[in-house]
Amino acid sequence: MIYQELTHNVIGLCMEIHSALGPGLLESAYQECLFYKLEQNGLYVQKQKPMPVIYEEVKLDCGYRIDLLIEDKIILEIKSVEILHDVHLAQILTYLKLGNYKLGLLLNFNVAHLRDGLKRVINT
């Protein structure tokens, strides 16, 4: 599945979950629902995938974890905050760089309309 089609499907499922649950829940609730729904739709999904930091020749397990990794291609970083800040964007950019992934979706479920809480992030 190519990135555009995969992204379209994932965003559609995110919107479906947001429409059903609305804003105000914990990130973990949205993550579990998304994990279930993505798998139900036949996608390979890893939840809380460890993201080590490699410094010089040392691989350091610092406790960083990707919320959801879909088809080993797209990172989903899930938030439920009043507003997204630069630090949230920096977080997903770092995950993209460390894992050598090309595309991430930063999703803030604590909004009235999910389109207002969605950022597509590309690793250049």
CSV table of all heavy atoms in Angstrom, one decimal, residues 17-76:
chain,number,residue,atom,x,y,z
A,17,ILE,N,-13.1,7.2,14.9
A,17,ILE,CA,-13.0,7.0,16.4
A,17,ILE,C,-13.3,8.3,17.1
A,17,ILE,O,-14.0,8.4,18.1
A,17,ILE,CB,-11.6,6.5,16.7
A,17,ILE,CG1,-11.5,5.0,16.3
A,17,ILE,CG2,-11.3,6.7,18.2
A,17,ILE,CD1,-10.1,4.5,16.3
A,18,HIS,N,-12.8,9.4,16.5
A,18,HIS,CA,-13.0,10.8,17.2
A,18,HIS,C,-14.5,11.1,17.1
A,18,HIS,O,-15.1,11.6,18.1
A,18,HIS,CB,-12.2,11.8,16.5
A,18,HIS,CG,-12.3,13.2,17.2
A,18,HIS,ND1,-13.2,14.1,16.8
A,18,HIS,CD2,-11.6,13.7,18.2
A,18,HIS,CE1,-13.0,15.2,17.6
A,18,HIS,NE2,-12.1,14.9,18.4
A,19,SER,N,-15.2,10.8,16.0
A,19,SER,CA,-16.6,11.0,15.9
A,19,SER,C,-17.4,10.2,17.0
A,19,SER,O,-18.4,10.7,17.6
A,19,SER,CB,-17.1,10.7,14.5
A,19,SER,OG,-16.6,11.6,13.6
A,20,ALA,N,-17.0,9.0,17.2
A,20,ALA,CA,-17.7,8.1,18.1
A,20,ALA,C,-17.4,8.5,19.6
A,20,ALA,O,-18.3,8.5,20.4
A,20,ALA,CB,-17.2,6.6,17.9
A,21,LEU,N,-16.1,8.8,19.9
A,21,LEU,CA,-15.8,9.1,21.3
A,21,LEU,C,-15.7,10.6,21.7
A,21,LEU,O,-15.9,10.9,22.9
A,21,LEU,CB,-14.4,8.5,21.6
A,21,LEU,CG,-14.2,7.0,21.3
A,21,LEU,CD1,-12.8,6.6,21.6
A,21,LEU,CD2,-15.2,6.2,22.3
A,22,GLY,N,-15.5,11.4,20.7
A,22,GLY,CA,-15.3,12.9,21.0
A,22,GLY,C,-14.1,13.2,21.8
A,22,GLY,O,-13.2,12.3,22.0
A,23,PRO,N,-13.9,14.5,22.1
A,23,PRO,CA,-12.7,14.9,22.8
A,23,PRO,C,-12.8,14.6,24.3
A,23,PRO,O,-13.9,14.3,24.8
A,23,PRO,CB,-12.6,16.4,22.5
A,23,PRO,CG,-14.0,16.8,22.3
A,23,PRO,CD,-14.7,15.6,21.7
A,24,GLY,N,-11.7,14.7,25.0
A,24,GLY,CA,-11.7,14.7,26.4
A,24,GLY,C,-11.2,13.4,27.1
A,24,GLY,O,-11.1,13.4,28.3
A,25,LEU,N,-10.9,12.4,26.3
A,25,LEU,CA,-10.4,11.1,26.9
A,25,LEU,C,-8.9,11.2,27.0
A,25,LEU,O,-8.2,12.1,26.5
A,25,LEU,CB,-10.8,9.9,26.1
A,25,LEU,CG,-12.3,9.7,25.9
A,25,LEU,CD1,-12.6,8.5,25.0
A,25,LEU,CD2,-13.0,9.5,27.2
A,26,LEU,N,-8.3,10.2,27.7
A,26,LEU,CA,-6.9,10.1,27.8
A,26,LEU,C,-6.3,9.6,26.5
A,26,LEU,O,-7.0,8.9,25.8
A,26,LEU,CB,-6.5,9.2,29.0
A,26,LEU,CG,-6.8,9.6,30.4
A,26,LEU,CD1,-6.5,8.5,31.3
A,26,LEU,CD2,-6.1,10.9,30.8
A,27,GLU,N,-5.1,9.9,26.3
A,27,GLU,CA,-4.4,9.5,25.0
A,27,GLU,C,-4.4,8.0,24.9
A,27,GLU,O,-4.6,7.4,23.8
A,27,GLU,CB,-2.9,9.9,25.1
A,27,GLU,CG,-2.8,11.4,24.9
A,27,GLU,CD,-1.3,11.9,25.2
A,27,GLU,OE1,-0.4,11.1,25.2
A,27,GLU,OE2,-1.1,13.1,25.3
A,28,SER,N,-4.3,7.3,26.1
A,28,SER,CA,-4.3,5.8,26.0
A,28,SER,C,-5.6,5.2,25.5
A,28,SER,O,-5.6,4.2,24.9
A,28,SER,CB,-3.9,5.3,27.4
A,28,SER,OG,-4.9,5.7,28.4
A,29,ALA,N,-6.7,5.9,25.8
A,29,ALA,CA,-8.0,5.4,25.3
A,29,ALA,C,-8.0,5.5,23.8
A,29,ALA,O,-8.5,4.5,23.1
A,29,ALA,CB,-9.1,6.2,25.9
A,30,TYR,N,-7.6,6.6,23.2
A,30,TYR,CA,-7.6,6.7,21.8
A,30,TYR,C,-6.6,5.8,21.1
A,30,TYR,O,-6.9,5.2,20.1
A,30,TYR,CB,-7.3,8.2,21.4
A,30,TYR,CG,-8.3,9.2,21.9
A,30,TYR,CD1,-7.9,10.1,22.8
A,30,TYR,CD2,-9.6,9.2,21.3
A,30,TYR,CE1,-8.9,11.1,23.3
A,30,TYR,CE2,-10.5,10.1,21.8
A,30,TYR,CZ,-10.1,11.1,22.8
A,30,TYR,OH,-11.1,12.0,23.2
A,31,GLN,N,-5.5,5.6,21.8
A,31,GLN,CA,-4.5,4.7,21.3
A,31,GLN,C,-5.0,3.2,21.2
A,31,GLN,O,-4.9,2.6,20.2
A,31,GLN,CB,-3.2,4.7,22.1
A,31,GLN,CG,-2.1,3.8,21.7
A,31,GLN,CD,-0.9,3.8,22.5
A,31,GLN,OE1,-0.5,4.9,23.0
A,31,GLN,NE2,-0.4,2.7,22.8
A,32,GLU,N,-5.7,2.8,22.2
A,32,GLU,CA,-6.2,1.4,22.3
A,32,GLU,C,-7.3,1.2,21.2
A,32,GLU,O,-7.3,0.2,20.5
A,32,GLU,CB,-6.7,1.1,23.6
A,32,GLU,CG,-5.7,0.9,24.7
A,32,GLU,CD,-4.7,-0.2,24.4
A,32,GLU,OE1,-5.1,-1.3,23.8
A,32,GLU,OE2,-3.5,0.0,24.6
A,33,CYS,N,-8.2,2.2,21.1
A,33,CYS,CA,-9.2,2.2,20.1
A,33,CYS,C,-8.6,2.1,18.6
A,33,CYS,O,-9.1,1.4,17.8
A,33,CYS,CB,-10.2,3.3,20.2
A,33,CYS,SG,-11.2,3.2,21.7
A,34,LEU,N,-7.6,3.0,18.4
A,34,LEU,CA,-7.0,3.0,17.1
A,34,LEU,C,-6.3,1.7,16.8
A,34,LEU,O,-6.3,1.2,15.7
A,34,LEU,CB,-6.0,4.2,17.0
A,34,LEU,CG,-6.5,5.5,16.6
A,34,LEU,CD1,-5.5,6.6,16.8
A,34,LEU,CD2,-6.9,5.4,15.1
A,35,PHE,N,-5.6,1.2,17.8
A,35,PHE,CA,-4.9,-0.1,17.6
A,35,PHE,C,-5.8,-1.2,17.2
A,35,PHE,O,-5.6,-1.9,16.2
A,35,PHE,CB,-4.1,-0.5,18.9
A,35,PHE,CG,-3.4,-1.8,18.8
A,35,PHE,CD1,-2.2,-1.8,18.1
A,35,PHE,CD2,-3.9,-2.9,19.4
A,35,PHE,CE1,-1.5,-3.0,18.1
A,35,PHE,CE2,-3.2,-4.1,19.3
A,35,PHE,CZ,-2.0,-4.2,18.6
A,36,TYR,N,-7.0,-1.2,17.9
A,36,TYR,CA,-8.0,-2.2,17.6
A,36,TYR,C,-8.5,-2.0,16.2
A,36,TYR,O,-8.6,-3.0,15.4
A,36,TYR,CB,-9.1,-2.1,18.6
A,36,TYR,CG,-10.4,-2.8,18.2
A,36,TYR,CD1,-10.5,-4.2,18.3
A,36,TYR,CD2,-11.5,-2.1,17.7
A,36,TYR,CE1,-11.6,-4.9,17.9
A,36,TYR,CE2,-12.6,-2.7,17.3
A,36,TYR,CZ,-12.7,-4.1,17.4
A,36,TYR,OH,-13.8,-4.8,17.0
A,37,LYS,N,-8.9,-0.8,15.9
A,37,LYS,CA,-9.5,-0.5,14.6
A,37,LYS,C,-8.6,-0.7,13.4
A,37,LYS,O,-9.0,-1.2,12.3
A,37,LYS,CB,-10.0,1.0,14.6
A,37,LYS,CG,-11.1,1.3,13.5
A,37,LYS,CD,-12.3,0.5,13.8
A,37,LYS,CE,-13.4,0.9,12.9
A,37,LYS,NZ,-14.6,0.0,13.0
A,38,LEU,N,-7.3,-0.3,13.5
A,38,LEU,CA,-6.3,-0.5,12.5
A,38,LEU,C,-6.1,-2.0,12.2
A,38,LEU,O,-6.1,-2.4,11.1
A,38,LEU,CB,-5.0,0.2,12.8
A,38,LEU,CG,-5.1,1.7,12.9
A,38,LEU,CD1,-3.9,2.3,13.6
A,38,LEU,CD2,-5.2,2.3,11.5
A,39,GLU,N,-6.0,-2.8,13.3
A,39,GLU,CA,-5.8,-4.2,13.1
A,39,GLU,C,-7.0,-4.8,12.5
A,39,GLU,O,-6.9,-5.7,11.6
A,39,GLU,CB,-5.5,-4.9,14.4
A,39,GLU,CG,-4.0,-4.8,14.8
A,39,GLU,CD,-3.7,-5.8,15.9
A,39,GLU,OE1,-4.5,-6.1,16.8
A,39,GLU,OE2,-2.5,-6.3,15.9
A,40,GLN,N,-8.2,-4.4,12.9
A,40,GLN,CA,-9.5,-4.9,12.4
A,40,GLN,C,-9.5,-4.6,10.9
A,40,GLN,O,-10.2,-5.4,10.1
A,40,GLN,CB,-10.6,-4.2,13.1
A,40,GLN,CG,-12.0,-4.8,12.8
A,40,GLN,CD,-13.1,-4.1,13.5
A,40,GLN,OE1,-13.1,-2.8,13.5
A,40,GLN,NE2,-14.0,-4.8,14.1
A,41,ASN,N,-8.9,-3.6,10.4
A,41,ASN,CA,-8.9,-3.3,9.0
A,41,ASN,C,-7.7,-3.9,8.2
A,41,ASN,O,-7.4,-3.5,7.1
A,41,ASN,CB,-8.9,-1.7,8.8
A,41,ASN,CG,-10.3,-1.2,8.9
A,41,ASN,OD1,-11.0,-1.0,7.9
A,41,ASN,ND2,-10.7,-0.9,10.2
A,42,GLY,N,-7.0,-4.8,8.8
A,42,GLY,CA,-6.0,-5.6,8.2
A,42,GLY,C,-4.6,-5.0,8.1
A,42,GLY,O,-3.8,-5.4,7.3
A,43,LEU,N,-4.4,-4.0,8.9
A,43,LEU,CA,-3.1,-3.3,8.9
A,43,LEU,C,-2.2,-3.8,10.0
A,43,LEU,O,-2.7,-4.2,11.1
A,43,LEU,CB,-3.3,-1.8,9.1
A,43,LEU,CG,-4.1,-1.0,8.0
A,43,LEU,CD1,-4.4,0.4,8.4
A,43,LEU,CD2,-3.4,-1.1,6.7
A,44,TYR,N,-0.9,-3.9,9.7
A,44,TYR,CA,0.1,-4.3,10.6
A,44,TYR,C,0.4,-3.2,11.5
A,44,TYR,O,0.9,-2.1,11.0
A,44,TYR,CB,1.3,-4.9,9.9
A,44,TYR,CG,2.5,-5.2,10.9
A,44,TYR,CD1,2.3,-6.2,11.9
A,44,TYR,CD2,3.7,-4.5,10.8
A,44,TYR,CE1,3.4,-6.5,12.7
A,44,TYR,CE2,4.7,-4.8,11.6
A,44,TYR,CZ,4.5,-5.8,12.6
A,44,TYR,OH,5.6,-6.1,13.5
A,45,VAL,N,0.2,-3.3,12.8
A,45,VAL,CA,0.3,-2.2,13.7
A,45,VAL,C,1.2,-2.6,14.9
A,45,VAL,O,0.9,-3.7,15.5
A,45,VAL,CB,-1.0,-1.6,14.3
A,45,VAL,CG1,-0.8,-0.4,15.1
A,45,VAL,CG2,-2.0,-1.3,13.1
A,46,GLN,N,2.1,-1.8,15.3
A,46,GLN,CA,2.9,-2.0,16.5
A,46,GLN,C,2.6,-0.9,17.5
A,46,GLN,O,2.6,0.3,17.1
A,46,GLN,CB,4.4,-2.0,16.2
A,46,GLN,CG,4.8,-3.1,15.3
A,46,GLN,CD,6.3,-3.0,14.9
A,46,GLN,OE1,7.2,-3.2,15.7
A,46,GLN,NE2,6.5,-2.6,13.6
A,47,LYS,N,2.3,-1.3,18.7
A,47,LYS,CA,1.9,-0.3,19.8
A,47,LYS,C,3.1,-0.2,20.7
A,47,LYS,O,3.7,-1.1,21.1
A,47,LYS,CB,0.7,-0.9,20.5
A,47,LYS,CG,0.2,-0.1,21.6
A,47,LYS,CD,-1.2,-0.6,22.2
A,47,LYS,CE,-1.2,-2.0,22.4
A,47,LYS,NZ,-2.4,-2.5,23.1
A,48,GLN,N,3.3,1.1,21.1
A,48,GLN,CA,4.4,1.4,22.1
A,48,GLN,C,5.7,0.8,21.7
A,48,GLN,O,6.4,0.2,22.5
A,48,GLN,CB,4.0,1.0,23.5
A,48,GLN,CG,2.9,1.8,24.1
A,48,GLN,CD,3.2,3.2,24.3
A,48,GLN,OE1,4.3,3.5,24.9
A,48,GLN,NE2,2.5,4.1,23.8
A,49,LYS,N,6.0,1.0,20.4
A,49,LYS,CA,7.3,0.4,19.8
A,49,LYS,C,8.5,1.2,20.4
A,49,LYS,O,8.6,2.4,20.3
A,49,LYS,CB,7.3,0.6,18.3
A,49,LYS,CG,8.6,0.0,17.7
A,49,LYS,CD,8.5,0.1,16.2
A,49,LYS,CE,9.7,-0.3,15.4
A,49,LYS,NZ,10.7,-1.2,16.0
A,50,PRO,N,9.4,0.4,21.0
A,50,PRO,CA,10.6,1.1,21.6
A,50,PRO,C,11.4,1.8,20.5
A,50,PRO,O,11.5,1.4,19.4
A,50,PRO,CB,11.4,-0.1,22.2
A,50,PRO,CG,10.4,-1.2,22.4
A,50,PRO,CD,9.4,-1.0,21.3
A,51,MET,N,11.9,3.0,20.9
A,51,MET,CA,12.7,3.8,20.0
A,51,MET,C,14.0,4.1,20.7
A,51,MET,O,14.1,5.1,21.5
A,51,MET,CB,11.9,5.1,19.7
A,51,MET,CG,12.7,6.1,18.8
A,51,MET,SD,13.2,5.5,17.2
A,51,MET,CE,11.8,4.8,16.5
A,52,PRO,N,15.0,3.3,20.5
A,52,PRO,CA,16.3,3.6,21.1
A,52,PRO,C,17.0,4.8,20.5
A,52,PRO,O,16.8,5.2,19.4
A,52,PRO,CB,17.1,2.3,20.9
A,52,PRO,CG,16.5,1.7,19.6
A,52,PRO,CD,15.1,2.1,19.6
A,53,VAL,N,17.9,5.4,21.3
A,53,VAL,CA,18.7,6.5,20.8
A,53,VAL,C,20.1,5.9,20.6
A,53,VAL,O,20.7,5.2,21.5
A,53,VAL,CB,18.8,7.6,21.9
A,53,VAL,CG1,19.8,8.6,21.5
A,53,VAL,CG2,17.4,8.2,22.1
A,54,ILE,N,20.7,6.1,19.4
A,54,ILE,CA,22.0,5.6,19.2
A,54,ILE,C,23.0,6.8,19.2
A,54,ILE,O,22.8,7.8,18.4
A,54,ILE,CB,22.1,4.9,17.8
A,54,ILE,CG1,21.2,3.7,17.8
A,54,ILE,CG2,23.5,4.5,17.5
A,54,ILE,CD1,21.0,3.0,16.5
A,55,TYR,N,23.9,6.8,20.1
A,55,TYR,CA,24.9,7.8,20.3
A,55,TYR,C,26.3,7.2,20.1
A,55,TYR,O,26.6,6.3,20.8
A,55,TYR,CB,24.7,8.5,21.6
A,55,TYR,CG,25.8,9.6,21.9
A,55,TYR,CD1,25.7,10.8,21.2
A,55,TYR,CD2,26.8,9.4,22.8
A,55,TYR,CE1,26.6,11.8,21.4
A,55,TYR,CE2,27.8,10.4,23.0
A,55,TYR,CZ,27.6,11.6,22.3
A,55,TYR,OH,28.6,12.5,22.5
A,56,GLU,N,27.0,7.7,19.1
A,56,GLU,CA,28.3,7.2,18.7
A,56,GLU,C,28.0,5.7,18.4
A,56,GLU,O,27.2,5.4,17.5
A,56,GLU,CB,29.3,7.4,19.7
A,56,GLU,CG,29.7,8.9,19.8
A,56,GLU,CD,30.7,9.3,20.9
A,56,GLU,OE1,31.2,8.4,21.6
A,56,GLU,OE2,31.1,10.5,20.9
A,57,GLU,N,28.7,4.8,19.1
A,57,GLU,CA,28.4,3.3,18.8
A,57,GLU,C,27.5,2.7,19.8
A,57,GLU,O,27.4,1.5,19.9
A,57,GLU,CB,29.7,2.6,18.7
A,57,GLU,CG,30.5,2.9,17.5
A,57,GLU,CD,31.6,3.9,17.7
A,57,GLU,OE1,32.1,4.0,18.9
A,57,GLU,OE2,31.9,4.7,16.8
A,58,VAL,N,26.9,3.5,20.7
A,58,VAL,CA,26.2,2.9,21.8
A,58,VAL,C,24.7,3.1,21.5
A,58,VAL,O,24.2,4.1,21.2
A,58,VAL,CB,26.5,3.6,23.1
A,58,VAL,CG1,25.7,3.1,24.3
A,58,VAL,CG2,28.0,3.5,23.4
A,59,LYS,N,23.9,2.0,21.7
A,59,LYS,CA,22.5,2.0,21.6
A,59,LYS,C,21.9,2.1,23.0
A,59,LYS,O,22.1,1.3,23.9
A,59,LYS,CB,22.0,0.7,21.0
A,59,LYS,CG,20.6,0.6,20.7
A,59,LYS,CD,20.2,-0.7,20.0
A,59,LYS,CE,18.8,-0.9,19.7
A,59,LYS,NZ,18.5,-2.1,19.0
A,60,LEU,N,21.2,3.2,23.2
A,60,LEU,CA,20.7,3.6,24.5
A,60,LEU,C,19.2,3.4,24.6
A,60,LEU,O,18.5,4.0,23.8
A,60,LEU,CB,21.0,5.0,24.9
A,60,LEU,CG,22.5,5.4,24.8
A,60,LEU,CD1,22.7,6.9,24.9
A,60,LEU,CD2,23.3,4.7,25.9
A,61,ASP,N,18.7,2.6,25.5
A,61,ASP,CA,17.3,2.5,25.7
A,61,ASP,C,16.8,3.5,26.7
A,61,ASP,O,17.0,3.3,27.9
A,61,ASP,CB,16.9,1.1,26.1
A,61,ASP,CG,15.4,0.9,26.3
A,61,ASP,OD1,14.6,1.8,25.8
A,61,ASP,OD2,14.9,-0.1,26.9
A,62,CYS,N,16.3,4.6,26.2
A,62,CYS,CA,16.0,5.8,27.1
A,62,CYS,C,14.5,5.8,27.4
A,62,CYS,O,14.0,6.8,28.0
A,62,CYS,CB,16.4,7.1,26.4
A,62,CYS,SG,18.1,7.2,26.1
A,63,GLY,N,13.8,4.8,27.0
A,63,GLY,CA,12.3,4.7,27.3
A,63,GLY,C,11.4,5.4,26.3
A,63,GLY,O,10.3,5.6,26.6
A,64,TYR,N,12.0,5.9,25.2
A,64,TYR,CA,11.1,6.5,24.2
A,64,TYR,C,10.4,5.4,23.5
A,64,TYR,O,10.9,4.3,23.2
A,64,TYR,CB,12.0,7.3,23.2
A,64,TYR,CG,12.7,8.5,23.8
A,64,TYR,CD1,14.1,8.5,23.9
A,64,TYR,CD2,12.0,9.6,24.2
A,64,TYR,CE1,14.7,9.5,24.4
A,64,TYR,CE2,12.6,10.7,24.8
A,64,TYR,CZ,14.0,10.6,24.9
A,64,TYR,OH,14.7,11.7,25.4
A,65,ARG,N,9.1,5.7,23.2
A,65,ARG,CA,8.2,4.7,22.5
A,65,ARG,C,7.3,5.4,21.5
A,65,ARG,O,6.7,6.5,21.8
A,65,ARG,CB,7.4,4.0,23.5
A,65,ARG,CG,8.2,3.2,24.5
A,65,ARG,CD,7.4,2.3,25.4
A,65,ARG,NE,8.2,1.5,26.3
A,65,ARG,CZ,8.9,0.4,26.0
A,65,ARG,NH1,8.8,-0.1,24.7
A,65,ARG,NH2,9.6,-0.2,26.8
A,66,ILE,N,7.2,4.9,20.4
A,66,ILE,CA,6.3,5.4,19.3
A,66,ILE,C,4.9,4.9,19.7
A,66,ILE,O,4.7,3.7,20.0
A,66,ILE,CB,6.7,4.8,17.9
A,66,ILE,CG1,8.0,5.4,17.5
A,66,ILE,CG2,5.6,5.1,16.9
A,66,ILE,CD1,8.6,4.7,16.2
A,67,ASP,N,3.9,5.8,19.8
A,67,ASP,CA,2.5,5.3,20.1
A,67,ASP,C,2.1,4.2,19.2
A,67,ASP,O,1.8,3.1,19.7
A,67,ASP,CB,1.6,6.5,20.1
A,67,ASP,CG,1.8,7.5,21.2
A,67,ASP,OD1,2.4,7.2,22.2
A,67,ASP,OD2,1.3,8.7,21.0
A,68,LEU,N,2.0,4.5,17.9
A,68,LEU,CA,1.6,3.4,17.0
A,68,LEU,C,2.5,3.5,15.7
A,68,LEU,O,2.7,4.6,15.2
A,68,LEU,CB,0.1,3.6,16.6
A,68,LEU,CG,-0.9,3.4,17.7
A,68,LEU,CD1,-2.3,3.7,17.1
A,68,LEU,CD2,-0.9,2.0,18.2
A,69,LEU,N,3.0,2.4,15.2
A,69,LEU,CA,3.7,2.4,14.0
A,69,LEU,C,2.9,1.5,13.0
A,69,LEU,O,2.6,0.3,13.3
A,69,LEU,CB,5.1,1.8,14.2
A,69,LEU,CG,6.0,1.7,12.9
A,69,LEU,CD1,6.2,3.1,12.3
A,69,LEU,CD2,7.3,1.0,13.2
A,70,ILE,N,2.5,2.0,11.9
A,70,ILE,CA,1.6,1.3,11.0
A,70,ILE,C,2.4,0.9,9.7
A,70,ILE,O,3.0,1.7,9.1
A,70,ILE,CB,0.4,2.2,10.5
A,70,ILE,CG1,-0.3,2.7,11.8
A,70,ILE,CG2,-0.5,1.5,9.6
A,70,ILE,CD1,-1.2,3.9,11.6
A,71,GLU,N,2.3,-0.4,9.5
A,71,GLU,CA,2.9,-1.0,8.3
A,71,GLU,C,4.4,-0.7,8.2
A,71,GLU,O,5.0,-0.7,7.1
A,71,GLU,CB,2.2,-0.6,7.0
A,71,GLU,CG,0.8,-1.0,6.9
A,71,GLU,CD,0.6,-2.5,6.6
A,71,GLU,OE1,1.4,-3.1,5.9
A,71,GLU,OE2,-0.4,-3.1,7.1
A,72,ASP,N,5.1,-0.5,9.3
A,72,ASP,CA,6.5,-0.1,9.4
A,72,ASP,C,6.8,1.1,8.5
A,72,ASP,O,7.9,1.3,8.0
A,72,ASP,CB,7.4,-1.3,8.9
A,72,ASP,CG,7.5,-2.4,10.0
A,72,ASP,OD1,7.6,-2.0,11.2
A,72,ASP,OD2,7.5,-3.5,9.6
A,73,LYS,N,5.8,2.0,8.3
A,73,LYS,CA,5.9,3.2,7.5
A,73,LYS,C,5.5,4.5,8.1
A,73,LYS,O,6.1,5.5,7.9
A,73,LYS,CB,5.1,3.0,6.2
A,73,LYS,CG,5.6,1.9,5.3
A,73,LYS,CD,4.7,1.8,4.0
A,73,LYS,CE,5.3,0.7,3.2
A,73,LYS,NZ,4.4,0.4,2.0
A,74,ILE,N,4.4,4.4,8.8
A,74,ILE,CA,3.8,5.7,9.3
A,74,ILE,C,3.8,5.7,10.9
A,74,ILE,O,3.2,4.7,11.5
A,74,ILE,CB,2.4,5.9,8.8
A,74,ILE,CG1,2.4,6.0,7.3
A,74,ILE,CG2,1.8,7.2,9.4
A,74,ILE,CD1,1.1,6.2,6.6
A,75,ILE,N,4.3,6.7,11.5
A,75,ILE,CA,4.2,6.9,12.9
A,75,ILE,C,3.0,7.7,13.3
A,75,ILE,O,2.7,8.7,12.6
A,75,ILE,CB,5.5,7.7,13.4
A,75,ILE,CG1,6.7,6.8,13.3
A,75,ILE,CG2,5.3,8.1,14.9
A,75,ILE,CD1,8.0,7.6,13.7
A,76,LEU,N,2.2,7.2,14.2
A,76,LEU,CA,1.1,8.0,14.8
A,76,LEU,C,1.5,8.4,16.2
A,76,LEU,O,1.8,7.5,17.1
A,76,LEU,CB,-0.1,7.1,14.9
A,76,LEU,CG,-1.2,7.4,13.8
A,76,LEU,CD1,-0.7,7.0,12.5
A,76,LEU,CD2,-2.4,6.6,14.1
